[in-house]
Amino acid sequence: MSIKRIEPGKRMSGAVVHGNTVYLAGQVGEGTSVTEQSKSALAEVDRLLALAGSDKSKILQTIIYISDMSTFGEMNAVWEGWIDPANPPARATSEAALATPDYKVEFIVTAAI
């Protein structure tokens, strides 16, 4: 079974396709608020899934890290407006320190093709 790397870089690929599954690198967004960063990151998820031949209706699992659990509701408001309501994925959310203090939310997505 072949492996396809999408937007490979020095440290990681934006996404990796193996068989009928696509694994996205953690996606962080631009902006100062959790809302802005969530919208930006999920737009990037849409873009990478499209490059892999998939879309959000085929997401199997999402792991979400937020830097402050008090922003859980703010992130969920964006998430609930973005996901395909007929096909919600399995999901976990945890509070974690992210790569830089500017990052407030990160989405790690696995999807079918």
Side-chain angles (χ1 to χ4, degrees):
M1 199 174 294
S2 67
I3 297 173
K4 176 184 174 186
R5 299 183 192 285
I6 297 171
E7 298 181 354
K10 183 177 179 179
R11 293 189 181 138
M12 63 184 169
S13 295
V16 176
V17 177
H18 181 250
N20 292 325
T21 307
V22 58
Y23 305 88
L24 272 56
Q27 298 303 309
V28 295
E30 297 178 355
T32 57
S33 70
V34 168
T35 296
E36 292 169 335
Q37 289 188 16
S38 295
K39 287 179 180 179
S40 175
L42 292 171
E44 186 65 5
V45 167
D46 281 330
R47 187 185 75 79
L48 288 168
L49 288 175
L51 288 174
S54 187
D55 61 62
K56 63 186 163 189
S57 73
K58 297 177 185 169
I59 296 175
L60 304 170
Q61 179 183 43
T62 301
I63 299 169
I64 304 169
Y65 295 113
I66 55 178
S67 62
D68 183 345
M69 197 56 85
S70 71
T71 63
F72 185 70
E74 187 179 347
M75 178 277 300
N76 268 332
V78 175
W79 172 262
E80 290 167 3
W82 176 81
I83 63 166
D84 178 346
N87 298 291
R91 190 188 102 169
T93 304
S94 183
E95 183 177 88
L98 301 178
T100 75
D102 294 337
Y103 293 147
K104 299 181 183 312
V105 62
E106 180 174 14
F107 298 85
I108 302 171
V109 172
T110 303
I113 295 184

